[in-house]
Amino acid sequence: MSSLTPPTAERVAAPTEERNPATADIDAVPTVEVLRLLNAEDARVPAAVGAVLPALADVVDETVRRLRAGGRVHYFGAGTSGRVAVMDAAELIPTFGLPPGVVAAHIAGGIKALTIPVEGAEDSVAGGAADAAEVRAGDVVVGLTASGRAPYVAGALRAGRAAGAYTVLVSANPAAALADQADVHLGADTGPEAIAGSTRLKAATAQKLILNGLSTAAMIALGHTYSNLMVDLAPTNTKLRGRVLTILTEATGLPEDVCAKALADADGELKTALVCLLGAVAPDQARRALTAASGQVRAALAASART
């Protein structure tokens, strides 16, 4: 008789684990019908996300308040949820000029889990708590788990709450087991997946939409946009350097050569050049106005007009 203890198994009760009657014959239909079935299920996601927008708005407002006070945002997820989190956090850096680490993503199993699944890491409460060791009272902790019960996320949420952080659970299960571990639960009711349990489908899409909404709305509130233009983007490649000029020309209606000169005069600072052009002020005055306005272009322009 073997002395080895067999691995434990758990039957997860969550909508994402249920069989979807609409796709019961998905393996017996032509390819185009497979795609129609998948697309029909995907089409349910925006409404499910729409239902949690009022609660998401509260999360955005609290996140902005904490970021302004010097806090950070931490995403925690396992598997697909962790990969969605890493993608959202990473893209904020070039898109909005956000310093690395202000929004940090933690994935169960570490960075290697981005490309090679480390499925057992999801079951570690201690792993989530360890990854949350850097969380502080002024921070925001966002746990992502499709089923709403991943032990890794449980560990992170509990550690975040113990540190005094603001805690948020993002799931695809309105009755998530971890809901009471978070200050706010954003449970998008996406229903059974097209392939039972394959949460890389609707649940992941909902998580991406929620995180995109959270981070983008927060960046807008913090002044990283003017109108619907990115004015803090980092021009780190040829395409983005061209986009900087495009933003200036679209925002001001002025010729490209005028915008290029203003950008050069502003030492390459897009926001400074924008305030110079729209407010008809010198770069130093534009910088002072932006500093006084906490980086908000509209407020800086209003202040410049009064001086």
Side-chain angles (χ1 to χ4, degrees), residues 43-97:
R44 301 175 186 272
V45 175
V49 173
V52 303
L53 292 184
L56 179 56
D58 292 339
V59 171
V60 171
D61 291 342
E62 181 62 17
T63 297
V64 170
R65 187 184 74 77
R66 289 177 177 247
L67 286 173
R68 282 181 174 148
R72 301 169 65 201
V73 178
H74 300 266
Y75 297 155
F76 294 90
T80 299
S81 298
R83 295 180 192 105
V84 169
V86 170
M87 179 172 60
D88 187 81
E91 291 179 349
L92 297 178
I93 297 169
T95 303
F96 298 110

Side-chain angles (χ1 to χ4, degrees), residues 20 34 41 70 78 87 93 101 118 135 146 149 158 163 174 193 235 247 249 251 277 279 296:
N20 190 330
V34 169
E41 292 302 313
M87 179 172 60
I93 297 169
V118 186
V135 173
R149 47 73 59 196
R158 290 167 190 161
E193 294 287 3
I247 287 170
T249 58
L277 291 169
Q296 298 273 355

Side-chain angles (χ1 to χ4, degrees), residues 112-139:
K112 66 179 181 181
L114 280 174
T115 56
I116 301 175
V118 186
E119 299 294 354
E122 177 180 335
D123 294 332
S124 178
V125 173
D131 286 353
E134 65 190 72
V135 173
R136 299 294 177 262
D139 293 348

Side-chain angles (χ1 to χ4, degrees), residues 247-270:
I247 287 170
L248 280 175
T249 58
E250 289 184 348
T252 65
L254 296 171
E256 184 174 313
D257 60 333
V258 174
C259 292
K261 183 179 185 306
L263 190 63
D265 292 343
D267 298 325
E269 299 167 4
L270 172 54

Side-chain angles (χ1 to χ4, degrees), residues 8-255:
T8 58
E10 179 182 353
R11 300 284 293 274
V12 175
T16 54
E17 300 297 315
E18 297 171 4
R19 290 188 67 186
N20 190 330
T23 58
D25 295 325
I26 199 168
D27 62 336
V29 297
T31 301
V32 69
E33 184 59 22
V34 169
L35 296 174
R36 288 192 181 109
L37 289 167
L38 293 172
N39 183 247
E41 292 302 313
D42 288 342
R44 301 175 186 272
V45 175
V49 173
V52 303
L53 292 184
L56 179 56
D58 292 339
V59 171
V60 171
D61 291 342
E62 181 62 17
T63 297
V64 170
R65 187 184 74 77
R66 289 177 177 247
L67 286 173
R68 282 181 174 148
R72 301 169 65 201
V73 178
H74 300 266
Y75 297 155
F76 294 90
T80 299
S81 298
R83 295 180 192 105
V84 169
V86 170
M87 179 172 60
D88 187 81
E91 291 179 349
L92 297 178
I93 297 169
T95 303
F96 298 110
L98 201 67
V102 175
V103 177
H106 310 266
I107 181 170
I111 197 69
K112 66 179 181 181
L114 280 174
T115 56
I116 301 175
V118 186
E119 299 294 354
E122 177 180 335
D123 294 332
S124 178
V125 173
D131 286 353
E134 65 190 72
V135 173
R136 299 294 177 262
D139 293 348
V140 177
V141 168
V142 181
L144 300 105
T145 162
S147 65
R149 47 73 59 196
Y152 173 83
V153 173
L157 287 173
R158 290 167 190 161
R161 174 168 280 183
Y166 179 69
T167 53
V168 181
L169 174 66
V170 178
S171 83
N173 181 1
L178 295 182
D180 63 355
Q181 301 293 318
D183 295 309
V184 178
H185 175 211
L186 303 172
D189 190 6
T190 55
E193 294 287 3
I195 305 300
S198 182
T199 54
R200 57 183 283 275
L201 300 173
K202 290 189 295 183
T205 300
Q207 289 176 337
K208 182 178 188 300
L209 291 178
I210 289 170
L211 283 194
N212 283 173
L214 167 58
S215 59
T216 303
M219 293 302 103
I220 291 169
L222 290 169
H224 293 292
T225 65
Y226 171 71
S227 181
N228 59 356
L229 300 169
M230 298 179 287
V231 291
D232 270 329
L233 84 165
T236 53
N237 60 37
T238 302
K239 179 188 73 174
L240 294 179
R241 286 189 287 273
R243 184 176 291 166
V244 166
L245 277 176
T246 298
I247 287 170
L248 280 175
T249 58
E250 289 184 348
T252 65
L254 296 171

Side-chain angles (χ1 to χ4, degrees), residues 289-307:
L290 282 165
T291 298
S294 300
Q296 298 273 355
V297 171
R298 290 188 191 273
L301 288 170
S304 297
R306 292 193 296 268
T307 59

Side-chain angles (χ1 to χ4, degrees), residues 267-279:
D267 298 325
E269 299 167 4
L270 172 54
K271 268 187 179 176
T272 301
L274 184 57
V275 174
C276 288
L277 291 169
L278 292 178

